[in-house]
């Protein structure tokens, strides 16, 4: 298992400041997690894969039903952090409203994503050791409901095709970063 000291804490890029005043919730696994195992676990053989094929894999895990991860206090703290950084949400080619880089903007979200307790828990479910994604931007990816409820994934993709735009999934993040950098240069940090 990955030890806590092996999990690299990245400093956010310029413009992606974490809560440095300490006013936002601090993640505490004992308070914020309520890890409850799923009641159903499906393996690849259940989906028709052969034992011969599966014996070459590190795990035969396929899927589970929904399971609890956060306590009530954890859900409240996460909701508060999402509300605090929601203005950074943007549109991607596939998702009407997405919040990328949450781990750069919220120490709570960062610490949740890198929680050794959570990592160990999902590793047991998956049947193999898992680690937080080494690319920081991939941790804490949050899809939000569109503000305009008539917009769906389909309409977003249709609009992108109609305008012949094929933005990368990180384009909205870099656009927002540039917006913040320009705002900070104009108004001061």
């Amino acid at each position: 298992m990955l030890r806590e000291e092996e999990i690299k804490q990245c400093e956010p890029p310029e413009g992606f400041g974490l809560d440095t005043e300490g006013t936002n919730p601090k993640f505490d696994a004992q308070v914020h997690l309520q890890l409850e195992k799923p009641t159903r676990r499906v393996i690849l053989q259940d989906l028709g894969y052969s034992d011969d094929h599966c014996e070459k894999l590190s795990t035969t895990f396929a899927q589970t039903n929904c399971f609890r991860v956060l306590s009530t206090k954890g859900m409240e703290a996460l909701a508060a952090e999402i509300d605090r950084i929601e203005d950074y949400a943007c549109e991607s080619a596939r998702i009407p409203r997405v919040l990328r880089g949450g781990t750069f903007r919220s120490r709570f979200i960062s610490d949740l994503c890198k929680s050794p307790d959570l990592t160990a828990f999902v590793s047991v479910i998956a049947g193999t050791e898992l680690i937080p994604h080494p690319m920081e931007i991939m941790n804490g990816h949050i899809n939000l409901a569109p503000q305009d409820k008539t917009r769906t994934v389909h309409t977003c993709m249709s609009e992108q095709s109609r305008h012949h735009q094929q933005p990368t999934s990180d384009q909205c993040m870099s656009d927002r970063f540039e917006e913040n950098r320009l705002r900070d240069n104009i108004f001061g940090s």
Side-chain angles (χ1 to χ4, degrees), residues 41-51 53-63 126:
R41 184 175 182 274
V42 178
I43 61 173
L44 292 172
Q45 288 91 330
D46 296 334
L47 301 175
Y49 289 89
S50 71
D51 289 338
H53 177 80
C54 292
E55 73 182 21
K56 301 171 193 163
L57 305 174
S58 62
T59 182
T60 59
F61 171 73
Q63 68 181 43

mmCIF file with all atom_site columns, all heavy atoms in Angstrom, residues 41-51 53-63 126:
data_model
loop_
_atom_site.group_PDB
_atom_site.id
_atom_site.type_symbol
_atom_site.label_atom_id
_atom_site.label_alt_id
_atom_site.label_comp_id
_atom_site.label_asym_id
_atom_site.label_entity_id
_atom_site.label_seq_id
_atom_site.pdbx_PDB_ins_code
_atom_site.Cartn_x
_atom_site.Cartn_y
_atom_site.Cartn_z
_atom_site.occupancy
_atom_site.B_iso_or_equiv
_atom_site.pdbx_formal_charge
_atom_site.auth_seq_id
_atom_site.auth_comp_id
_atom_site.auth_asym_id
_atom_site.auth_atom_id
_atom_site.pdbx_PDB_model_num
ATOM 1   N N   . ARG A 1 41  ? -20.799 -6.643  -5.957  1.00 0.00 ? 41  ARG A N   1
ATOM 2   C CA  . ARG A 1 41  ? -19.531 -6.463  -6.667  1.00 0.00 ? 41  ARG A CA  1
ATOM 3   C C   . ARG A 1 41  ? -19.548 -7.401  -7.867  1.00 0.00 ? 41  ARG A C   1
ATOM 4   O O   . ARG A 1 41  ? -19.752 -8.608  -7.716  1.00 0.00 ? 41  ARG A O   1
ATOM 5   C CB  . ARG A 1 41  ? -18.361 -6.793  -5.747  1.00 0.00 ? 41  ARG A CB  1
ATOM 6   C CG  . ARG A 1 41  ? -16.997 -6.542  -6.342  1.00 0.00 ? 41  ARG A CG  1
ATOM 7   C CD  . ARG A 1 41  ? -15.895 -6.800  -5.299  1.00 0.00 ? 41  ARG A CD  1
ATOM 8   N NE  . ARG A 1 41  ? -14.589 -6.514  -5.831  1.00 0.00 ? 41  ARG A NE  1
ATOM 9   C CZ  . ARG A 1 41  ? -13.862 -7.386  -6.522  1.00 0.00 ? 41  ARG A CZ  1
ATOM 10  N NH1 . ARG A 1 41  ? -14.317 -8.599  -6.765  1.00 0.00 ? 41  ARG A NH1 1
ATOM 11  N NH2 . ARG A 1 41  ? -12.667 -7.038  -6.971  1.00 0.00 ? 41  ARG A NH2 1
ATOM 12  N N   . VAL A 1 42  ? -19.360 -6.852  -9.045  1.00 0.00 ? 42  VAL A N   1
ATOM 13  C CA  . VAL A 1 42  ? -19.391 -7.628  -10.281 1.00 0.00 ? 42  VAL A CA  1
ATOM 14  C C   . VAL A 1 42  ? -17.955 -7.811  -10.765 1.00 0.00 ? 42  VAL A C   1
ATOM 15  O O   . VAL A 1 42  ? -17.166 -6.866  -10.749 1.00 0.00 ? 42  VAL A O   1
ATOM 16  C CB  . VAL A 1 42  ? -20.228 -6.900  -11.362 1.00 0.00 ? 42  VAL A CB  1
ATOM 17  C CG1 . VAL A 1 42  ? -20.225 -7.667  -12.676 1.00 0.00 ? 42  VAL A CG1 1
ATOM 18  C CG2 . VAL A 1 42  ? -21.655 -6.667  -10.869 1.00 0.00 ? 42  VAL A CG2 1
ATOM 19  N N   . ILE A 1 43  ? -17.637 -9.027  -11.176 1.00 0.00 ? 43  ILE A N   1
ATOM 20  C CA  . ILE A 1 43  ? -16.312 -9.285  -11.739 1.00 0.00 ? 43  ILE A CA  1
ATOM 21  C C   . ILE A 1 43  ? -16.440 -9.520  -13.244 1.00 0.00 ? 43  ILE A C   1
ATOM 22  O O   . ILE A 1 43  ? -17.547 -9.727  -13.760 1.00 0.00 ? 43  ILE A O   1
ATOM 23  C CB  . ILE A 1 43  ? -15.613 -10.471 -11.038 1.00 0.00 ? 43  ILE A CB  1
ATOM 24  C CG1 . ILE A 1 43  ? -16.411 -11.758 -11.198 1.00 0.00 ? 43  ILE A CG1 1
ATOM 25  C CG2 . ILE A 1 43  ? -15.361 -10.151 -9.568  1.00 0.00 ? 43  ILE A CG2 1
ATOM 26  C CD1 . ILE A 1 43  ? -15.694 -13.007 -10.687 1.00 0.00 ? 43  ILE A CD1 1
ATOM 27  N N   . LEU A 1 44  ? -15.321 -9.471  -13.932 1.00 0.00 ? 44  LEU A N   1
ATOM 28  C CA  . LEU A 1 44  ? -15.333 -9.579  -15.393 1.00 0.00 ? 44  LEU A CA  1
ATOM 29  C C   . LEU A 1 44  ? -15.943 -10.898 -15.881 1.00 0.00 ? 44  LEU A C   1
ATOM 30  O O   . LEU A 1 44  ? -16.635 -10.924 -16.900 1.00 0.00 ? 44  LEU A O   1
ATOM 31  C CB  . LEU A 1 44  ? -13.918 -9.409  -15.941 1.00 0.00 ? 44  LEU A CB  1
ATOM 32  C CG  . LEU A 1 44  ? -13.331 -8.009  -15.768 1.00 0.00 ? 44  LEU A CG  1
ATOM 33  C CD1 . LEU A 1 44  ? -11.855 -7.994  -16.151 1.00 0.00 ? 44  LEU A CD1 1
ATOM 34  C CD2 . LEU A 1 44  ? -14.117 -6.981  -16.558 1.00 0.00 ? 44  LEU A CD2 1
ATOM 35  N N   . GLN A 1 45  ? -15.724 -11.978 -15.138 1.00 0.00 ? 45  GLN A N   1
ATOM 36  C CA  . GLN A 1 45  ? -16.305 -13.253 -15.539 1.00 0.00 ? 45  GLN A CA  1
ATOM 37  C C   . GLN A 1 45  ? -17.831 -13.181 -15.549 1.00 0.00 ? 45  GLN A C   1
ATOM 38  O O   . GLN A 1 45  ? -18.479 -13.833 -16.369 1.00 0.00 ? 45  GLN A O   1
ATOM 39  C CB  . GLN A 1 45  ? -15.838 -14.386 -14.615 1.00 0.00 ? 45  GLN A CB  1
ATOM 40  C CG  . GLN A 1 45  ? -14.380 -14.767 -14.822 1.00 0.00 ? 45  GLN A CG  1
ATOM 41  C CD  . GLN A 1 45  ? -13.425 -13.996 -13.912 1.00 0.00 ? 45  GLN A CD  1
ATOM 42  O OE1 . GLN A 1 45  ? -13.690 -12.860 -13.524 1.00 0.00 ? 45  GLN A OE1 1
ATOM 43  N NE2 . GLN A 1 45  ? -12.303 -14.613 -13.585 1.00 0.00 ? 45  GLN A NE2 1
ATOM 44  N N   . ASP A 1 46  ? -18.408 -12.364 -14.647 1.00 0.00 ? 46  ASP A N   1
ATOM 45  C CA  . ASP A 1 46  ? -19.870 -12.184 -14.634 1.00 0.00 ? 46  ASP A CA  1
ATOM 46  C C   . ASP A 1 46  ? -20.353 -11.523 -15.923 1.00 0.00 ? 46  ASP A C   1
ATOM 47  O O   . ASP A 1 46  ? -21.526 -11.625 -16.279 1.00 0.00 ? 46  ASP A O   1
ATOM 48  C CB  . ASP A 1 46  ? -20.307 -11.317 -13.447 1.00 0.00 ? 46  ASP A CB  1
ATOM 49  C CG  . ASP A 1 46  ? -20.005 -11.946 -12.105 1.00 0.00 ? 46  ASP A CG  1
ATOM 50  O OD1 . ASP A 1 46  ? -19.925 -13.191 -12.022 1.00 0.00 ? 46  ASP A OD1 1
ATOM 51  O OD2 . ASP A 1 46  ? -19.850 -11.183 -11.121 1.00 0.00 ? 46  ASP A OD2 1
ATOM 52  N N   . LEU A 1 47  ? -19.457 -10.818 -16.599 1.00 0.00 ? 47  LEU A N   1
ATOM 53  C CA  . LEU A 1 47  ? -19.807 -10.125 -17.839 1.00 0.00 ? 47  LEU A CA  1
ATOM 54  C C   . LEU A 1 47  ? -19.413 -10.915 -19.079 1.00 0.00 ? 47  LEU A C   1
ATOM 55  O O   . LEU A 1 47  ? -19.478 -10.417 -20.197 1.00 0.00 ? 47  LEU A O   1
ATOM 56  C CB  . LEU A 1 47  ? -19.135 -8.746  -17.867 1.00 0.00 ? 47  LEU A CB  1
ATOM 57  C CG  . LEU A 1 47  ? -19.509 -7.814  -16.711 1.00 0.00 ? 47  LEU A CG  1
ATOM 58  C CD1 . LEU A 1 47  ? -18.691 -6.532  -16.782 1.00 0.00 ? 47  LEU A CD1 1
ATOM 59  C CD2 . LEU A 1 47  ? -20.998 -7.509  -16.711 1.00 0.00 ? 47  LEU A CD2 1
ATOM 60  N N   . GLY A 1 48  ? -18.986 -12.155 -18.859 1.00 0.00 ? 48  GLY A N   1
ATOM 61  C CA  . GLY A 1 48  ? -18.696 -13.035 -19.993 1.00 0.00 ? 48  GLY A CA  1
ATOM 62  C C   . GLY A 1 48  ? -17.232 -13.191 -20.345 1.00 0.00 ? 48  GLY A C   1
ATOM 63  O O   . GLY A 1 48  ? -16.903 -13.903 -21.300 1.00 0.00 ? 48  GLY A O   1
ATOM 64  N N   . TYR A 1 49  ? -16.333 -12.551 -19.641 1.00 0.00 ? 49  TYR A N   1
ATOM 65  C CA  . TYR A 1 49  ? -14.907 -12.729 -19.929 1.00 0.00 ? 49  TYR A CA  1
ATOM 66  C C   . TYR A 1 49  ? -14.454 -14.098 -19.421 1.00 0.00 ? 49  TYR A C   1
ATOM 67  O O   . TYR A 1 49  ? -14.894 -14.564 -18.378 1.00 0.00 ? 49  TYR A O   1
ATOM 68  C CB  . TYR A 1 49  ? -14.078 -11.621 -19.267 1.00 0.00 ? 49  TYR A CB  1
ATOM 69  C CG  . TYR A 1 49  ? -14.270 -10.283 -19.925 1.00 0.00 ? 49  TYR A CG  1
ATOM 70  C CD1 . TYR A 1 49  ? -15.282 -9.422  -19.509 1.00 0.00 ? 49  TYR A CD1 1
ATOM 71  C CD2 . TYR A 1 49  ? -13.439 -9.868  -20.960 1.00 0.00 ? 49  TYR A CD2 1
ATOM 72  C CE1 . TYR A 1 49  ? -15.476 -8.191  -20.109 1.00 0.00 ? 49  TYR A CE1 1
ATOM 73  C CE2 . TYR A 1 49  ? -13.613 -8.631  -21.569 1.00 0.00 ? 49  TYR A CE2 1
ATOM 74  C CZ  . TYR A 1 49  ? -14.637 -7.804  -21.137 1.00 0.00 ? 49  TYR A CZ  1
ATOM 75  O OH  . TYR A 1 49  ? -14.814 -6.593  -21.740 1.00 0.00 ? 49  TYR A OH  1
ATOM 76  N N   . SER A 1 50  ? -13.540 -14.708 -20.138 1.00 0.00 ? 50  SER A N   1
ATOM 77  C CA  . SER A 1 50  ? -13.086 -16.050 -19.778 1.00 0.00 ? 50  SER A CA  1
ATOM 78  C C   . SER A 1 50  ? -12.077 -15.989 -18.636 1.00 0.00 ? 50  SER A C   1
ATOM 79  O O   . SER A 1 50  ? -11.390 -14.988 -18.441 1.00 0.00 ? 50  SER A O   1
ATOM 80  C CB  . SER A 1 50  ? -12.439 -16.730 -20.989 1.00 0.00 ? 50  SER A CB  1
ATOM 81  O OG  . SER A 1 50  ? -11.182 -16.116 -21.270 1.00 0.00 ? 50  SER A OG  1
ATOM 82  N N   . ASP A 1 51  ? -11.989 -17.101 -17.908 1.00 0.00 ? 51  ASP A N   1
ATOM 83  C CA  . ASP A 1 51  ? -10.984 -17.207 -16.844 1.00 0.00 ? 51  ASP A CA  1
ATOM 84  C C   . ASP A 1 51  ? -9.582  -17.067 -17.426 1.00 0.00 ? 51  ASP A C   1
ATOM 85  O O   . ASP A 1 51  ? -8.709  -16.453 -16.807 1.00 0.00 ? 51  ASP A O   1
ATOM 86  C CB  . ASP A 1 51  ? -11.116 -18.536 -16.108 1.00 0.00 ? 51  ASP A CB  1
ATOM 87  C CG  . ASP A 1 51  ? -12.364 -18.595 -15.231 1.00 0.00 ? 51  ASP A CG  1
ATOM 88  O OD1 . ASP A 1 51  ? -12.891 -17.519 -14.866 1.00 0.00 ? 51  ASP A OD1 1
ATOM 89  O OD2 . ASP A 1 51  ? -12.798 -19.712 -14.908 1.00 0.00 ? 51  ASP A OD2 1
ATOM 90  N N   . HIS A 1 53  ? -8.618  -15.299 -19.975 1.00 0.00 ? 53  HIS A N   1
ATOM 91  C CA  . HIS A 1 53  ? -8.360  -13.868 -20.210 1.00 0.00 ? 53  HIS A CA  1
ATOM 92  C C   . HIS A 1 53  ? -8.102  -13.151 -18.880 1.00 0.00 ? 53  HIS A C   1
ATOM 93  O O   . HIS A 1 53  ? -7.155  -12.379 -18.757 1.00 0.00 ? 53  HIS A O   1
ATOM 94  C CB  . HIS A 1 53  ? -9.544  -13.222 -20.936 1.00 0.00 ? 53  HIS A CB  1
ATOM 95  C CG  . HIS A 1 53  ? -9.381  -11.763 -21.145 1.00 0.00 ? 53  HIS A CG  1
ATOM 96  N ND1 . HIS A 1 53  ? -8.620  -11.240 -22.169 1.00 0.00 ? 53  HIS A ND1 1
ATOM 97  C CD2 . HIS A 1 53  ? -9.860  -10.702 -20.449 1.00 0.00 ? 53  HIS A CD2 1
ATOM 98  C CE1 . HIS A 1 53  ? -8.639  -9.924  -22.094 1.00 0.00 ? 53  HIS A CE1 1
ATOM 99  N NE2 . HIS A 1 53  ? -9.385  -9.560  -21.065 1.00 0.00 ? 53  HIS A NE2 1
ATOM 100 N N   . CYS A 1 54  ? -8.916  -13.424 -17.894 1.00 0.00 ? 54  CYS A N   1
ATOM 101 C CA  . CYS A 1 54  ? -8.848  -12.704 -16.619 1.00 0.00 ? 54  CYS A CA  1
ATOM 102 C C   . CYS A 1 54  ? -7.613  -13.030 -15.790 1.00 0.00 ? 54  CYS A C   1
ATOM 103 O O   . CYS A 1 54  ? -7.145  -12.190 -15.021 1.00 0.00 ? 54  CYS A O   1
ATOM 104 C CB  . CYS A 1 54  ? -10.120 -12.962 -15.807 1.00 0.00 ? 54  CYS A CB  1
ATOM 105 S SG  . CYS A 1 54  ? -11.586 -12.219 -16.567 1.00 0.00 ? 54  CYS A SG  1
ATOM 106 N N   . GLU A 1 55  ? -7.063  -14.244 -15.957 1.00 0.00 ? 55  GLU A N   1
ATOM 107 C CA  . GLU A 1 55  ? -5.895  -14.606 -15.143 1.00 0.00 ? 55  GLU A CA  1
ATOM 108 C C   . GLU A 1 55  ? -4.670  -13.761 -15.479 1.00 0.00 ? 55  GLU A C   1
ATOM 109 O O   . GLU A 1 55  ? -3.740  -13.670 -14.699 1.00 0.00 ? 55  GLU A O   1
ATOM 110 C CB  . GLU A 1 55  ? -5.591  -16.095 -15.252 1.00 0.00 ? 55  GLU A CB  1
ATOM 111 C CG  . GLU A 1 55  ? -4.997  -16.520 -16.579 1.00 0.00 ? 55  GLU A CG  1
ATOM 112 C CD  . GLU A 1 55  ? -4.760  -18.029 -16.657 1.00 0.00 ? 55  GLU A CD  1
ATOM 113 O OE1 . GLU A 1 55  ? -5.388  -18.783 -15.893 1.00 0.00 ? 55  GLU A OE1 1
ATOM 114 O OE2 . GLU A 1 55  ? -3.945  -18.427 -17.493 1.00 0.00 ? 55  GLU A OE2 1
ATOM 115 N N   . LYS A 1 56  ? -4.683  -13.092 -16.612 1.00 0.00 ? 56  LYS A N   1
ATOM 116 C CA  . LYS A 1 56  ? -3.566  -12.231 -17.023 1.00 0.00 ? 56  LYS A CA  1
ATOM 117 C C   . LYS A 1 56  ? -3.686  -10.819 -16.447 1.00 0.00 ? 56  LYS A C   1
ATOM 118 O O   . LYS A 1 56  ? -2.761  -10.022 -16.577 1.00 0.00 ? 56  LYS A O   1
ATOM 119 C CB  . LYS A 1 56  ? -3.517  -12.144 -18.550 1.00 0.00 ? 56  LYS A CB  1
ATOM 120 C CG  . LYS A 1 56  ? -3.342  -13.478 -19.237 1.00 0.00 ? 56  LYS A CG  1
ATOM 121 C CD  . LYS A 1 56  ? -3.533  -13.346 -20.728 1.00 0.00 ? 56  LYS A CD  1
ATOM 122 C CE  . LYS A 1 56  ? -3.661  -14.729 -21.349 1.00 0.00 ? 56  LYS A CE  1
ATOM 123 N NZ  . LYS A 1 56  ? -4.216  -14.682 -22.676 1.00 0.00 ? 56  LYS A NZ  1
ATOM 124 N N   . LEU A 1 57  ? -4.795  -10.504 -15.837 1.00 0.00 ? 57  LEU A N   1
ATOM 125 C CA  . LEU A 1 57  ? -5.066  -9.144  -15.370 1.00 0.00 ? 57  LEU A CA  1
ATOM 126 C C   . LEU A 1 57  ? -4.710  -8.983  -13.890 1.00 0.00 ? 57  LEU A C   1
ATOM 127 O O   . LEU A 1 57  ? -4.696  -9.948  -13.138 1.00 0.00 ? 57  LEU A O   1
ATOM 128 C CB  . LEU A 1 57  ? -6.550  -8.826  -15.585 1.00 0.00 ? 57  LEU A CB  1
ATOM 129 C CG  . LEU A 1 57  ? -7.076  -9.016  -17.015 1.00 0.00 ? 57  LEU A CG  1
ATOM 130 C CD1 . LEU A 1 57  ? -8.579  -8.813  -17.051 1.00 0.00 ? 57  LEU A CD1 1
ATOM 131 C CD2 . LEU A 1 57  ? -6.365  -8.070  -17.968 1.00 0.00 ? 57  LEU A CD2 1
ATOM 132 N N   . SER A 1 58  ? -4.489  -7.751  -13.484 1.00 0.00 ? 58  SER A N   1
ATOM 133 C CA  . SER A 1 58  ? -4.177  -7.498  -12.071 1.00 0.00 ? 58  SER A CA  1
ATOM 134 C C   . SER A 1 58  ? -5.423  -7.604  -11.193 1.00 0.00 ? 58  SER A C   1
ATOM 135 O O   . SER A 1 58  ? -5.316  -7.778  -9.986  1.00 0.00 ? 58  SER A O   1
ATOM 136 C CB  . SER A 1 58  ? -3.540  -6.123  -11.905 1.00 0.00 ? 58  SER A CB  1
ATOM 137 O OG  . SER A 1 58  ? -4.432  -5.110  -12.316 1.00 0.00 ? 58  SER A OG  1
ATOM 138 N N   . THR A 1 59  ? -6.599  -7.490  -11.797 1.00 0.00 ? 59  THR A N   1
ATOM 139 C CA  . THR A 1 59  ? -7.855  -7.634  -11.061 1.00 0.00 ? 59  THR A CA  1
ATOM 140 C C   . THR A 1 59  ? -8.957  -8.050  -12.028 1.00 0.00 ? 59  THR A C   1
ATOM 141 O O   . THR A 1 59  ? -8.877  -7.753  -13.223 1.00 0.00 ? 59  THR A O   1
ATOM 142 C CB  . THR A 1 59  ? -8.249  -6.328  -10.338 1.00 0.00 ? 59  THR A CB  1
ATOM 143 O OG1 . THR A 1 59  ? -9.470  -6.533  -9.599  1.00 0.00 ? 59  THR A OG1 1
ATOM 144 C CG2 . THR A 1 59  ? -8.460  -5.183  -11.307 1.00 0.00 ? 59  THR A CG2 1
ATOM 145 N N   . THR A 1 60  ? -9.951  -8.722  -11.493 1.00 0.00 ? 60  THR A N   1
ATOM 146 C CA  . THR A 1 60  ? -11.112 -9.079  -12.312 1.00 0.00 ? 60  THR A CA  1
ATOM 147 C C   . THR A 1 60  ? -12.288 -8.163  -11.997 1.00 0.00 ? 60  THR A C   1
ATOM 148 O O   . THR A 1 60  ? -13.391 -8.372  -12.477 1.00 0.00 ? 60  THR A O   1
ATOM 149 C CB  . THR A 1 60  ? -11.532 -10.540 -12.056 1.00 0.00 ? 60  THR A CB  1
ATOM 150 O OG1 . THR A 1 60  ? -11.844 -10.696 -10.668 1.00 0.00 ? 60  THR A OG1 1
ATOM 151 C CG2 . THR A 1 60  ? -10.424 -11.504 -12.474 1.00 0.00 ? 60  THR A CG2 1
ATOM 152 N N   . PHE A 1 61  ? -12.044 -7.123  -11.215 1.00 0.00 ? 61  PHE A N   1
ATOM 153 C CA  . PHE A 1 61  ? -13.095 -6.188  -10.820 1.00 0.00 ? 61  PHE A CA  1
ATOM 154 C C   . PHE A 1 61  ? -13.701 -5.509  -12.044 1.00 0.00 ? 61  PHE A C   1
ATOM 155 O O   . PHE A 1 61  ? -12.988 -5.067  -12.938 1.00 0.00 ? 61  PHE A O   1
ATOM 156 C CB  . PHE A 1 61  ? -12.518 -5.132  -9.875  1.00 0.00 ? 61  PHE A CB  1
ATOM 157 C CG  . PHE A 1 61  ? -13.468 -4.012  -9.579  1.00 0.00 ? 61  PHE A CG  1
ATOM 158 C CD1 . PHE A 1 61  ? -14.555 -4.204  -8.754  1.00 0.00 ? 61  PHE A CD1 1
ATOM 159 C CD2 . PHE A 1 61  ? -13.279 -2.757  -10.140 1.00 0.00 ? 61  PHE A CD2 1
ATOM 160 C CE1 . PHE A 1 61  ? -15.434 -3.178  -8.485  1.00 0.00 ? 61  PHE A CE1 1
ATOM 161 C CE2 . PHE A 1 61  ? -14.151 -1.724  -9.880  1.00 0.00 ? 61  PHE A CE2 1
ATOM 162 C CZ  . PHE A 1 61  ? -15.227 -1.937  -9.050  1.00 0.00 ? 61  PHE A CZ  1
ATOM 163 N N   . ALA A 1 62  ? -15.035 -5.399  -12.055 1.00 0.00 ? 62  ALA A N   1
ATOM 164 C CA  . ALA A 1 62  ? -15.730 -4.705  -13.137 1.00 0.00 ? 62  ALA A CA  1
ATOM 165 C C   . ALA A 1 62  ? -16.534 -3.512  -12.609 1.00 0.00 ? 62  ALA A C   1
ATOM 166 O O   . ALA A 1 62  ? -16.373 -2.394  -13.080 1.00 0.00 ? 62  ALA A O   1
ATOM 167 C CB  . ALA A 1 62  ? -16.653 -5.664  -13.886 1.00 0.00 ? 62  ALA A CB  1
ATOM 168 N N   . GLN A 1 63  ? -17.405 -3.743  -11.631 1.00 0.00 ? 63  GLN A N   1
ATOM 169 C CA  . GLN A 1 63  ? -18.250 -2.657  -11.129 1.00 0.00 ? 63  GLN A CA  1
ATOM 170 C C   . GLN A 1 63  ? -18.893 -3.045  -9.807  1.00 0.00 ? 63  GLN A C   1
ATOM 171 O O   . GLN A 1 63  ? -18.859 -4.203  -9.407  1.00 0.00 ? 63  GLN A O   1
ATOM 172 C CB  . GLN A 1 63  ? -19.346 -2.310  -12.131 1.00 0.00 ? 63  GLN A CB  1
ATOM 173 C CG  . GLN A 1 63  ? -20.377 -3.423  -12.283 1.00 0.00 ? 63  GLN A CG  1
ATOM 174 C CD  . GLN A 1 63  ? -21.443 -3.118  -13.286 1.00 0.00 ? 63  GLN A CD  1
ATOM 175 O OE1 . GLN A 1 63  ? -21.168 -2.606  -14.351 1.00 0.00 ? 63  GLN A OE1 1
ATOM 176 N NE2 . GLN A 1 63  ? -22.669 -3.448  -12.955 1.00 0.00 ? 63  GLN A NE2 1
ATOM 177 N N   . ALA A 1 126 ? -11.607 -2.796  -5.471  1.00 0.00 ? 126 ALA A N   1
ATOM 178 C CA  . ALA A 1 126 ? -11.099 -3.078  -6.817  1.00 0.00 ? 126 ALA A CA  1
ATOM 179 C C   . ALA A 1 126 ? -10.296 -4.371  -6.887  1.00 0.00 ? 126 ALA A C   1
ATOM 180 O O   . ALA A 1 126 ? -10.076 -4.909  -7.966  1.00 0.00 ? 126 ALA A O   1
ATOM 181 C CB  . ALA A 1 126 ? -10.230 -1.916  -7.299  1.00 0.00 ? 126 ALA A CB  1
#
